[in-house]
Amino acid sequence: MSVKPGEFEASKELTINNRLGLHARAAARLVETAEQFNAEIYLEKDGQTVDAKSVISLLTLECPPGSEVLIRARGQDSQSALEAITELIENDFGE
Amino acid sequence: MKIPEFINKNSIMTGVAASPGIVIGQAYLVDRSKVEIFYQYLIDESFIKEEVERFKRAVQEAQSQCEEIKNDMPANLGEHTYILDTHLLILKDSMIYQATIDLIKHEKINAEWALKKAVDRAREMFEQIKDEYIRSRIKDVEYVSERIMRNLVGQVPENLAEIKDRVIIVAHDLSPADTTQIRLDMVMGFIINMGGKTSHTTIIAQALEIPAVVGLESCTRRIKTGDLIVVDGNAGHVVINPDEKTLRFYRGRQQSYESYQAEIVRCAYLPAETLDGHRLVVKANIEMFEEVAAVADHGGDGIGLYRTEFHYLSRRQLPSEEELFRDYRDVAQIIAPQPLTIRTVDLGGDRFASTLDWADEMNPALGLRAIRFSLKEKSIFKDQLRAILRSSTYGNVKVMFPMISGLGELLEAKEVLEEVRQTLSREEIEYNPNMEVGIMIEVPSAVVLADVLAGEVDFFSIGTNDLIQYSLAIDRVNERVAHMYEPLHPAVLRMVKTVVEAGHAAGITVSMCGEMAGDPICAPILLALGLDELSMPNTAVPRIKRLIRMTSMNECQEYLDTILKCRTVNEVNRFVEEVIIKRFAIHPDVVARGIRE
């Protein structure tokens, strides 16, 4: 997937800090949160970009604890989507 | 316990005793034969639209099937429902759902073939993943797509949730997804082709205290649904369609084991105090975070040995300090105010983190392992010590170095610890400056030098598995000499005595954390030898506590006096069989496990 940086209305850099990283359960939480919004949401790590609404893609991005990721969102509710995801990650996915 | 000769006339299989207990019941074979799929090229545009619709219906069906399983799931498995939630997400995941639809449209192929292609692509992506845990999640994708596939070809999916009678599950392997589906209250036992002492089924079976035998290799070929099966999780035996005499034998064993077990667990919460008021601290050995909760359930006075190799062996990358810290902190918090003793890694020898590609050793047990490995790989050692120190403010955490063979090694390890402390202080990171530091006594030279070593540490813990191996020069994995591995060998008993006396002379606590500590036969002897603490597998805690409560220090002292006069291990064993087993009514099944485990 290639996305041009300028196309995004909202983006933020975050660190994954929960116990196991972006494992199955955390990835599922992230998808559930992302799906509440119409905005397209992407996660970027080490030059790889994936759809935040796909558990499989998120898993293959491989984010152990300490990973730094860039969240990008585009669409009408992109700002609130970004806020919700930030809260989820900063709260260690509620673990 | 030896199996009577008449049982060998039956069809009997031997595997790994994964979870104790004996059950007799009907087999339920979990069959995982693959769905046949065919390739079809769709010529007409109208077929394509129909094919997409057919695929969507199959997914819809799979969705309601998963929802149903989830709703039927017993409440006590709440923790596991997330796997089903993940499956529900995978069903509609664009990498499978949208990808299959796109493939049907663009390549004009049938839904089954398109789905297979989408899954193959996902599999390729997962194969690139370094983290073993995440890489293995392809199993969930395969599981979900198999369900869709079965709906597409009209094959009724096997629904483990539909098991309505109490059965013994017979399977090649069970995934976490499978076990979340099974109504576990309907499961009397597990017998599995694959697996070992740490596999998923083993952990589930132990947690739920369901008897299990794993590593049977061919049980799914030899057993049919409806066969009558005996599962002996104590000895690791499975008997298929036993004759009447065998059945009677096992019914008797089952009954006596169950009533014995019920009796000891009932009183597990009581302290291990002798009739004359001598208190022994009984702790648990654990290896994984998942076992922590069971420590309190079994009446453990804390964790006497937290083996820390798991994080290094279960994956490709070395664990980060942060990851270790979180794990240690969590364990410390759950067990607090009871103490947690963390042993630094015992890697090397035959246990290597897969990242460390080292040459095979001629004698792994005598090679670069445990503290020797840590002192060579200082950065790995320092990361772990930082994590341990950081966790020390969250509970009563102690650190313990394995396989210390002399003072030089101990001083060097302490020096590294001091260095790490200073770095943390400089970084203004909090830790407990008074965290206790101990060593394992498992090398004969450490026994001889116990008085010297005692002056440098806060506690000793005797690791009998290695101490016996090294002092009797017996390789436990060598079948030709394994029978000579004797915890009650006079030489071993004298060494334990030396260590206890040296420790107490220096005013430090002496504990034991090898298998011998959990062996009921040894308990009265260890009490009399003056050990302050014993640490053992969770399940052994209740029976050791019960045994201590029914005796007195005086009585045990008398046994010890007799035993210390014995000149051969046979004399000791004979006395134990004639006096101790009878006196304490130790169950024969437990004795079998105790001696030869």
Short mmCIF file of all heavy atoms in Angstrom, two decimals, chain A residues 17-20 22-25 27-29 31-32 35 48 51 53-57 59-65 92, chain B residues 79 82 85-86 89-90 93-96 122 125-126 128-131 133-134 137 141 289 317 320 322-323 326-327 330:
data_model
loop_
_atom_site.label_atom_id
_atom_site.label_comp_id
_atom_site.label_asym_id
_atom_site.label_seq_id
_atom_site.Cartn_x
_atom_site.Cartn_y
_atom_site.Cartn_z
N ASN A 17 3.18 0.22 24.34
CA ASN A 17 3.86 -0.08 25.60
C ASN A 17 3.24 -1.19 26.42
O ASN A 17 3.67 -1.46 27.53
CB ASN A 17 3.90 1.18 26.47
CG ASN A 17 5.16 1.97 26.21
OD1 ASN A 17 6.19 1.38 25.90
ND2 ASN A 17 5.07 3.28 26.33
N ASN A 18 2.20 -1.84 25.88
CA ASN A 18 1.56 -2.88 26.69
C ASN A 18 2.45 -4.11 26.77
O ASN A 18 3.45 -4.23 26.05
CB ASN A 18 0.19 -3.23 26.12
CG ASN A 18 0.29 -3.79 24.74
OD1 ASN A 18 1.06 -3.30 23.93
ND2 ASN A 18 -0.45 -4.84 24.48
N ARG A 19 2.07 -5.06 27.61
CA ARG A 19 2.93 -6.18 27.98
C ARG A 19 3.42 -7.04 26.82
O ARG A 19 4.56 -7.43 26.77
CB ARG A 19 2.16 -7.07 28.97
CG ARG A 19 3.02 -7.77 29.96
CD ARG A 19 2.14 -8.36 31.05
NE ARG A 19 1.82 -9.74 30.76
CZ ARG A 19 2.61 -10.75 31.06
NH1 ARG A 19 3.75 -10.54 31.64
NH2 ARG A 19 2.25 -11.98 30.79
N LEU A 20 2.53 -7.32 25.89
CA LEU A 20 2.91 -8.24 24.82
C LEU A 20 3.04 -7.56 23.46
O LEU A 20 3.28 -8.22 22.46
CB LEU A 20 1.89 -9.38 24.71
CG LEU A 20 1.82 -10.35 25.88
CD1 LEU A 20 0.61 -11.26 25.77
CD2 LEU A 20 3.09 -11.19 25.95
N LEU A 22 1.63 -5.47 20.11
CA LEU A 22 0.39 -5.53 19.32
C LEU A 22 0.10 -7.00 18.96
O LEU A 22 0.20 -7.40 17.84
CB LEU A 22 0.55 -4.67 18.07
CG LEU A 22 -0.73 -4.18 17.42
CD1 LEU A 22 -1.64 -3.49 18.40
CD2 LEU A 22 -0.41 -3.25 16.27
N HIS A 23 -0.25 -7.77 19.98
CA HIS A 23 -0.56 -9.19 19.77
C HIS A 23 -2.04 -9.31 19.42
O HIS A 23 -2.71 -8.30 19.22
CB HIS A 23 -0.21 -9.99 21.03
CG HIS A 23 -0.93 -9.50 22.23
ND1 HIS A 23 -1.97 -10.17 22.80
CD2 HIS A 23 -0.78 -8.36 22.93
CE1 HIS A 23 -2.42 -9.47 23.82
NE2 HIS A 23 -1.71 -8.38 23.91
N ALA A 24 -2.55 -10.54 19.36
CA ALA A 24 -3.90 -10.74 18.84
C ALA A 24 -4.96 -9.91 19.58
O ALA A 24 -5.78 -9.25 18.97
CB ALA A 24 -4.26 -12.22 18.89
N ARG A 25 -4.89 -9.95 20.91
CA ARG A 25 -5.95 -9.28 21.65
C ARG A 25 -5.90 -7.76 21.47
O ARG A 25 -6.91 -7.10 21.25
CB ARG A 25 -5.84 -9.62 23.13
CG ARG A 25 -7.08 -9.21 23.90
CD ARG A 25 -6.91 -9.32 25.38
NE ARG A 25 -6.37 -10.61 25.80
CZ ARG A 25 -6.80 -11.27 26.87
NH1 ARG A 25 -7.80 -10.80 27.56
NH2 ARG A 25 -6.24 -12.39 27.21
N ALA A 27 -4.53 -6.15 18.99
CA ALA A 27 -4.87 -5.82 17.61
C ALA A 27 -6.39 -5.83 17.43
O ALA A 27 -6.96 -4.96 16.76
CB ALA A 27 -4.21 -6.81 16.65
N ALA A 28 -7.05 -6.79 18.06
CA ALA A 28 -8.51 -6.87 17.96
C ALA A 28 -9.14 -5.61 18.56
O ALA A 28 -10.06 -5.02 17.99
CB ALA A 28 -9.01 -8.12 18.67
N ARG A 29 -8.62 -5.17 19.70
CA ARG A 29 -9.14 -3.94 20.33
C ARG A 29 -8.99 -2.74 19.39
O ARG A 29 -9.89 -1.91 19.26
CB ARG A 29 -8.38 -3.64 21.62
CG ARG A 29 -8.68 -4.58 22.74
CD ARG A 29 -9.55 -3.89 23.81
NE ARG A 29 -10.19 -4.87 24.65
CZ ARG A 29 -9.61 -5.41 25.74
NH1 ARG A 29 -8.43 -5.01 26.12
NH2 ARG A 29 -10.23 -6.31 26.45
N VAL A 31 -8.76 -2.73 16.13
CA VAL A 31 -9.71 -2.82 15.01
C VAL A 31 -11.10 -2.40 15.46
O VAL A 31 -11.77 -1.61 14.79
CB VAL A 31 -9.75 -4.26 14.43
CG1 VAL A 31 -10.88 -4.39 13.42
CG2 VAL A 31 -8.42 -4.62 13.79
N GLU A 32 -11.51 -2.90 16.61
CA GLU A 32 -12.85 -2.54 17.12
C GLU A 32 -12.99 -1.02 17.26
O GLU A 32 -14.02 -0.45 16.92
CB GLU A 32 -13.10 -3.21 18.48
CG GLU A 32 -13.53 -4.66 18.32
CD GLU A 32 -13.35 -5.47 19.60
OE1 GLU A 32 -13.01 -4.88 20.65
OE2 GLU A 32 -13.54 -6.70 19.52
N GLU A 35 -13.01 0.70 13.75
CA GLU A 35 -14.23 0.48 12.98
C GLU A 35 -15.39 1.39 13.37
O GLU A 35 -16.39 1.48 12.67
CB GLU A 35 -14.65 -1.00 13.07
CG GLU A 35 -13.86 -1.83 12.06
CD GLU A 35 -14.33 -3.26 11.99
OE1 GLU A 35 -14.99 -3.71 12.95
OE2 GLU A 35 -14.02 -3.93 11.00
N GLN A 48 6.54 0.65 6.61
CA GLN A 48 5.45 -0.23 6.16
C GLN A 48 4.14 0.35 6.66
O GLN A 48 4.03 0.76 7.82
CB GLN A 48 5.69 -1.61 6.75
CG GLN A 48 5.17 -2.74 5.89
CD GLN A 48 5.23 -4.06 6.63
OE1 GLN A 48 6.06 -4.25 7.50
NE2 GLN A 48 4.34 -4.95 6.29
N ASP A 51 -3.57 -1.17 7.08
CA ASP A 51 -4.93 -0.74 7.40
C ASP A 51 -5.24 -1.08 8.86
O ASP A 51 -5.17 -2.24 9.26
CB ASP A 51 -5.88 -1.50 6.46
CG ASP A 51 -7.33 -1.13 6.68
OD1 ASP A 51 -7.61 -0.31 7.58
OD2 ASP A 51 -8.18 -1.67 5.95
N LYS A 53 -7.94 -1.28 10.23
CA LYS A 53 -9.20 -2.01 10.41
C LYS A 53 -9.05 -3.49 10.05
O LYS A 53 -10.05 -4.21 9.96
CB LYS A 53 -10.30 -1.35 9.58
CG LYS A 53 -10.66 0.04 10.11
CD LYS A 53 -11.74 0.71 9.29
CE LYS A 53 -11.97 2.12 9.82
NZ LYS A 53 -12.96 2.85 9.02
N SER A 54 -7.83 -3.94 9.84
CA SER A 54 -7.59 -5.34 9.52
C SER A 54 -6.66 -5.98 10.55
O SER A 54 -5.51 -5.61 10.70
CB SER A 54 -6.95 -5.45 8.13
OG SER A 54 -6.29 -6.68 7.98
N VAL A 55 -7.23 -6.93 11.31
CA VAL A 55 -6.44 -7.61 12.34
C VAL A 55 -5.22 -8.28 11.73
O VAL A 55 -4.11 -8.21 12.26
CB VAL A 55 -7.29 -8.71 13.03
CG1 VAL A 55 -6.44 -9.49 14.02
CG2 VAL A 55 -8.47 -8.12 13.74
N ILE A 56 -5.45 -8.93 10.60
CA ILE A 56 -4.36 -9.68 9.97
C ILE A 56 -3.21 -8.73 9.60
O ILE A 56 -2.05 -9.00 9.88
CB ILE A 56 -4.88 -10.44 8.73
CG1 ILE A 56 -5.97 -11.42 9.16
CG2 ILE A 56 -3.75 -11.17 8.03
CD1 ILE A 56 -6.64 -12.16 8.02
N SER A 57 -3.56 -7.60 8.99
CA SER A 57 -2.51 -6.63 8.62
C SER A 57 -1.76 -6.12 9.83
O SER A 57 -0.55 -6.01 9.83
CB SER A 57 -3.12 -5.43 7.91
OG SER A 57 -3.84 -5.83 6.80
N LEU A 59 -1.31 -7.58 12.67
CA LEU A 59 -0.42 -8.61 13.22
C LEU A 59 0.86 -8.71 12.39
O LEU A 59 1.96 -8.83 12.93
CB LEU A 59 -1.12 -9.97 13.25
CG LEU A 59 -2.16 -10.16 14.36
CD1 LEU A 59 -2.84 -11.51 14.21
CD2 LEU A 59 -1.51 -10.06 15.74
N THR A 60 0.69 -8.65 11.07
CA THR A 60 1.87 -8.83 10.22
C THR A 60 2.80 -7.61 10.30
O THR A 60 3.95 -7.70 9.88
CB THR A 60 1.48 -9.09 8.76
OG1 THR A 60 0.61 -8.05 8.33
CG2 THR A 60 0.79 -10.42 8.60
N LEU A 61 2.32 -6.53 10.85
CA LEU A 61 3.20 -5.35 11.02
C LEU A 61 4.23 -5.61 12.12
O LEU A 61 5.28 -4.99 12.16
CB LEU A 61 2.35 -4.13 11.38
CG LEU A 61 3.03 -2.76 11.30
CD1 LEU A 61 3.53 -2.47 9.90
CD2 LEU A 61 2.07 -1.66 11.74
N GLU A 62 3.93 -6.56 12.99
CA GLU A 62 4.85 -7.00 14.05
C GLU A 62 5.32 -5.86 14.95
O GLU A 62 6.38 -5.30 14.74
CB GLU A 62 6.07 -7.67 13.40
CG GLU A 62 6.39 -8.99 14.02
CD GLU A 62 7.70 -9.55 13.48
OE1 GLU A 62 7.99 -9.34 12.28
OE2 GLU A 62 8.40 -10.17 14.25
N CYS A 63 4.54 -5.55 15.96
CA CYS A 63 4.92 -4.48 16.88
C CYS A 63 5.13 -5.01 18.29
O CYS A 63 4.19 -5.10 19.07
CB CYS A 63 3.83 -3.40 16.93
SG CYS A 63 3.52 -2.62 15.36
N PRO A 64 6.36 -5.38 18.64
CA PRO A 64 6.62 -5.78 20.02
C PRO A 64 6.54 -4.56 20.95
O PRO A 64 6.51 -3.42 20.46
CB PRO A 64 8.04 -6.34 19.96
CG PRO A 64 8.66 -5.70 18.76
CD PRO A 64 7.55 -5.42 17.80
N PRO A 65 6.51 -4.77 22.27
CA PRO A 65 6.47 -3.61 23.18
C PRO A 65 7.64 -2.68 22.88
O PRO A 65 8.74 -3.16 22.61
CB PRO A 65 6.63 -4.25 24.57
CG PRO A 65 6.32 -5.69 24.40
CD PRO A 65 6.52 -6.04 22.98
N ASP A 92 -2.46 1.33 27.29
CA ASP A 92 -1.98 -0.04 27.11
C ASP A 92 -3.10 -1.00 26.75
O ASP A 92 -3.16 -2.12 27.25
CB ASP A 92 -1.26 -0.53 28.38
CG ASP A 92 0.05 0.18 28.59
OD1 ASP A 92 0.47 0.90 27.67
OD2 ASP A 92 0.65 0.01 29.66
N GLU B 79 -11.69 -15.21 30.06
CA GLU B 79 -10.41 -14.78 29.54
C GLU B 79 -10.18 -15.25 28.10
O GLU B 79 -9.47 -14.64 27.34
CB GLU B 79 -9.29 -15.35 30.42
CG GLU B 79 -8.85 -14.41 31.50
CD GLU B 79 -8.20 -13.16 30.91
OE1 GLU B 79 -7.10 -13.27 30.39
OE2 GLU B 79 -8.83 -12.09 30.97
N TYR B 82 -11.79 -13.77 24.09
CA TYR B 82 -11.19 -12.82 23.15
C TYR B 82 -10.74 -13.53 21.88
O TYR B 82 -10.69 -12.95 20.81
CB TYR B 82 -10.05 -12.04 23.81
CG TYR B 82 -8.72 -12.71 23.73
CD1 TYR B 82 -7.88 -12.46 22.64
CD2 TYR B 82 -8.30 -13.59 24.71
CE1 TYR B 82 -6.65 -13.09 22.55
CE2 TYR B 82 -7.09 -14.22 24.62
CZ TYR B 82 -6.26 -13.97 23.53
OH TYR B 82 -5.07 -14.60 23.44
N ASP B 85 -13.62 -13.45 19.73
CA ASP B 85 -13.81 -12.09 19.22
C ASP B 85 -12.84 -11.83 18.06
O ASP B 85 -13.21 -11.22 17.05
CB ASP B 85 -13.56 -11.05 20.32
CG ASP B 85 -14.71 -11.04 21.33
OD1 ASP B 85 -15.85 -11.34 20.92
OD2 ASP B 85 -14.47 -10.75 22.50
N THR B 86 -11.62 -12.31 18.23
CA THR B 86 -10.64 -12.14 17.16
C THR B 86 -11.09 -12.89 15.91
O THR B 86 -11.00 -12.38 14.80
CB THR B 86 -9.26 -12.66 17.62
OG1 THR B 86 -8.97 -12.10 18.89
CG2 THR B 86 -8.17 -12.29 16.64
N LEU B 89 -13.56 -10.99 14.03
CA LEU B 89 -12.95 -9.90 13.26
C LEU B 89 -12.27 -10.44 12.00
O LEU B 89 -12.32 -9.82 10.95
CB LEU B 89 -11.94 -9.15 14.12
CG LEU B 89 -12.51 -8.29 15.24
CD1 LEU B 89 -11.40 -7.74 16.10
CD2 LEU B 89 -13.34 -7.14 14.66
N ILE B 90 -11.63 -11.60 12.14
CA ILE B 90 -10.93 -12.17 10.98
C ILE B 90 -11.92 -12.53 9.87
O ILE B 90 -11.63 -12.37 8.69
CB ILE B 90 -10.09 -13.41 11.40
CG1 ILE B 90 -8.95 -12.97 12.32
CG2 ILE B 90 -9.53 -14.14 10.18
CD1 ILE B 90 -8.14 -14.10 12.91
N ASP B 93 -12.30 -9.58 7.96
CA ASP B 93 -11.06 -8.85 7.69
C ASP B 93 -10.85 -8.68 6.19
O ASP B 93 -11.02 -9.64 5.42
CB ASP B 93 -9.88 -9.63 8.29
CG ASP B 93 -8.63 -8.76 8.41
OD1 ASP B 93 -8.09 -8.34 7.37
OD2 ASP B 93 -8.22 -8.52 9.55
N SER B 94 -10.44 -7.49 5.80
CA SER B 94 -10.30 -7.22 4.37
C SER B 94 -9.32 -8.17 3.69
O SER B 94 -9.46 -8.52 2.54
CB SER B 94 -9.87 -5.77 4.15
OG SER B 94 -8.69 -5.52 4.86
N MET B 95 -8.30 -8.60 4.44
CA MET B 95 -7.29 -9.49 3.87
C MET B 95 -7.88 -10.84 3.47
O MET B 95 -7.30 -11.55 2.66
CB MET B 95 -6.15 -9.73 4.87
CG MET B 95 -5.44 -8.51 5.30
SD MET B 95 -4.22 -8.00 4.10
CE MET B 95 -3.09 -9.37 4.25
N ILE B 96 -8.99 -11.21 4.06
CA ILE B 96 -9.64 -12.46 3.70
C ILE B 96 -10.93 -12.16 2.94
O ILE B 96 -11.13 -12.59 1.80
CB ILE B 96 -9.96 -13.31 4.96
CG1 ILE B 96 -8.68 -13.73 5.66
CG2 ILE B 96 -10.82 -14.52 4.62
CD1 ILE B 96 -7.80 -14.67 4.85
N ALA B 122 -2.08 -14.73 2.86
CA ALA B 122 -1.92 -14.34 4.27
C ALA B 122 -0.83 -15.20 4.90
O ALA B 122 0.02 -14.71 5.65
CB ALA B 122 -3.23 -14.51 5.03
N MET B 125 2.57 -13.99 4.16
CA MET B 125 2.92 -12.82 4.97
C MET B 125 3.33 -13.22 6.38
O MET B 125 4.27 -12.69 6.95
CB MET B 125 1.76 -11.85 5.04
CG MET B 125 1.50 -11.13 3.73
SD MET B 125 0.06 -10.07 3.86
CE MET B 125 0.64 -8.88 5.06
N PHE B 126 2.59 -14.16 6.95
CA PHE B 126 2.90 -14.59 8.32
C PHE B 126 4.24 -15.29 8.40
O PHE B 126 4.93 -15.22 9.41
CB PHE B 126 1.79 -15.49 8.88
CG PHE B 126 0.66 -14.72 9.49
CD1 PHE B 126 -0.37 -14.22 8.70
CD2 PHE B 126 0.64 -14.47 10.85
CE1 PHE B 126 -1.40 -13.49 9.26
CE2 PHE B 126 -0.40 -13.73 11.42
CZ PHE B 126 -1.43 -13.25 10.62
N GLN B 128 6.88 -14.54 7.06
CA GLN B 128 7.99 -13.58 7.15
C GLN B 128 8.21 -13.08 8.58
O GLN B 128 9.22 -12.48 8.88
CB GLN B 128 7.70 -12.33 6.29
CG GLN B 128 7.22 -12.60 4.89
CD GLN B 128 8.30 -13.22 4.04
OE1 GLN B 128 9.45 -12.78 4.09
NE2 GLN B 128 7.95 -14.26 3.32
N ILE B 129 7.22 -13.31 9.44
CA ILE B 129 7.26 -12.71 10.78
C ILE B 129 8.28 -13.40 11.67
O ILE B 129 8.36 -14.61 11.69
CB ILE B 129 5.85 -12.76 11.41
CG1 ILE B 129 4.90 -11.87 10.60
CG2 ILE B 129 5.88 -12.34 12.87
CD1 ILE B 129 3.46 -11.97 11.00
N LYS B 130 9.06 -12.58 12.38
CA LYS B 130 10.11 -13.15 13.23
C LYS B 130 9.53 -13.68 14.53
O LYS B 130 9.90 -14.73 15.00
CB LYS B 130 11.17 -12.08 13.53
CG LYS B 130 12.05 -11.76 12.34
CD LYS B 130 13.25 -10.96 12.81
CE LYS B 130 13.71 -9.97 11.75
NZ LYS B 130 12.88 -8.74 11.68
N ASP B 131 8.62 -12.93 15.13
CA ASP B 131 8.07 -13.31 16.43
C ASP B 131 7.25 -14.60 16.30
O ASP B 131 6.28 -14.66 15.55
CB ASP B 131 7.17 -12.17 16.94
CG ASP B 131 6.66 -12.44 18.34
OD1 ASP B 131 5.88 -13.39 18.54
OD2 ASP B 131 7.07 -11.69 19.23
N TYR B 133 5.26 -16.15 18.33
CA TYR B 133 3.88 -16.10 18.78
C TYR B 133 2.97 -15.52 17.68
O TYR B 133 1.96 -16.12 17.32
CB TYR B 133 3.76 -15.26 20.06
CG TYR B 133 2.33 -14.95 20.41
CD1 TYR B 133 1.51 -15.93 20.97
CD2 TYR B 133 1.77 -13.71 20.12
CE1 TYR B 133 0.19 -15.67 21.25
CE2 TYR B 133 0.45 -13.44 20.40
CZ TYR B 133 -0.33 -14.41 20.97
OH TYR B 133 -1.65 -14.15 21.24
N ILE B 134 3.38 -14.37 17.14
CA ILE B 134 2.55 -13.75 16.11
C ILE B 134 2.51 -14.62 14.86
O ILE B 134 1.48 -14.78 14.22
CB ILE B 134 3.04 -12.31 15.81
CG1 ILE B 134 2.81 -11.43 17.04
CG2 ILE B 134 2.30 -11.72 14.61
CD1 ILE B 134 3.25 -10.01 16.89
N ARG B 137 -0.12 -17.14 14.80
CA ARG B 137 -1.52 -16.67 14.70
C ARG B 137 -2.15 -17.02 13.35
O ARG B 137 -3.35 -16.89 13.18
CB ARG B 137 -1.62 -15.16 14.95
CG ARG B 137 -1.34 -14.67 16.34
CD ARG B 137 -2.20 -15.32 17.38
NE ARG B 137 -1.47 -16.43 17.94
CZ ARG B 137 -2.02 -17.53 18.39
NH1 ARG B 137 -3.30 -17.70 18.36
NH2 ARG B 137 -1.29 -18.49 18.88
N VAL B 141 -6.29 -17.68 11.44
CA VAL B 141 -6.79 -17.36 10.09
C VAL B 141 -7.22 -18.66 9.41
O VAL B 141 -8.29 -18.73 8.78
CB VAL B 141 -5.70 -16.65 9.27
CG1 VAL B 141 -6.19 -16.37 7.85
CG2 VAL B 141 -5.26 -15.36 9.95
N PHE B 289 3.73 -17.00 33.88
CA PHE B 289 2.83 -16.05 34.52
C PHE B 289 1.48 -16.70 34.85
O PHE B 289 0.89 -16.46 35.90
CB PHE B 289 2.65 -14.86 33.58
CG PHE B 289 1.73 -13.82 34.13
CD1 PHE B 289 2.16 -12.98 35.14
CD2 PHE B 289 0.45 -13.69 33.62
CE1 PHE B 289 1.31 -12.02 35.65
CE2 PHE B 289 -0.41 -12.74 34.14
CZ PHE B 289 0.03 -11.90 35.15
N GLN B 317 13.53 -13.43 19.22
CA GLN B 317 14.31 -12.30 19.71
C GLN B 317 14.54 -12.41 21.20
O GLN B 317 13.76 -13.04 21.90
CB GLN B 317 13.56 -10.98 19.47
CG GLN B 317 13.36 -10.65 18.03
CD GLN B 317 12.01 -9.96 17.85
OE1 GLN B 317 10.97 -10.52 18.18
NE2 GLN B 317 12.05 -8.76 17.33
N SER B 320 13.05 -7.79 25.80
CA SER B 320 13.59 -6.48 26.20
C SER B 320 13.49 -6.35 27.71
O SER B 320 12.72 -7.04 28.36
CB SER B 320 12.78 -5.37 25.53
OG SER B 320 11.47 -5.37 26.05
N GLU B 322 12.17 -3.98 29.26
CA GLU B 322 10.82 -3.51 29.56
C GLU B 322 9.85 -4.68 29.69
O GLU B 322 9.05 -4.75 30.63
CB GLU B 322 10.37 -2.58 28.42
CG GLU B 322 9.21 -1.69 28.75
CD GLU B 322 9.48 -0.78 29.94
OE1 GLU B 322 10.65 -0.42 30.19
OE2 GLU B 322 8.50 -0.47 30.64
N GLU B 323 9.95 -5.60 28.76
CA GLU B 323 9.06 -6.76 28.76
C GLU B 323 9.28 -7.62 30.02
O GLU B 323 8.34 -8.05 30.67
CB GLU B 323 9.38 -7.57 27.50
CG GLU B 323 8.43 -8.68 27.21
CD GLU B 323 8.90 -9.46 25.98
OE1 GLU B 323 9.80 -8.96 25.25
OE2 GLU B 323 8.39 -10.55 25.77
N ARG B 326 7.92 -5.79 33.14
CA ARG B 326 6.46 -5.87 33.28
C ARG B 326 6.03 -7.24 33.81
O ARG B 326 5.14 -7.35 34.64
CB ARG B 326 5.78 -5.61 31.94
CG ARG B 326 5.77 -4.14 31.59
CD ARG B 326 5.60 -3.94 30.10
NE ARG B 326 5.80 -2.54 29.80
CZ ARG B 326 4.82 -1.64 29.81
NH1 ARG B 326 3.59 -2.02 30.07
NH2 ARG B 326 5.07 -0.38 29.55
N ASP B 327 6.68 -8.27 33.30
CA ASP B 327 6.34 -9.62 33.73
C ASP B 327 6.67 -9.81 35.22
O ASP B 327 5.84 -10.25 36.00
CB ASP B 327 7.10 -10.63 32.88
CG ASP B 327 6.77 -12.06 33.24
OD1 ASP B 327 5.64 -12.47 32.93
OD2 ASP B 327 7.60 -12.72 33.87
N ASP B 330 4.34 -7.79 37.44
CA ASP B 330 3.00 -8.37 37.55
C ASP B 330 2.98 -9.55 38.51
O ASP B 330 2.09 -9.68 39.34
CB ASP B 330 2.49 -8.80 36.17
CG ASP B 330 2.21 -7.61 35.27
OD1 ASP B 330 2.30 -6.47 35.78
OD2 ASP B 330 1.90 -7.81 34.08
#
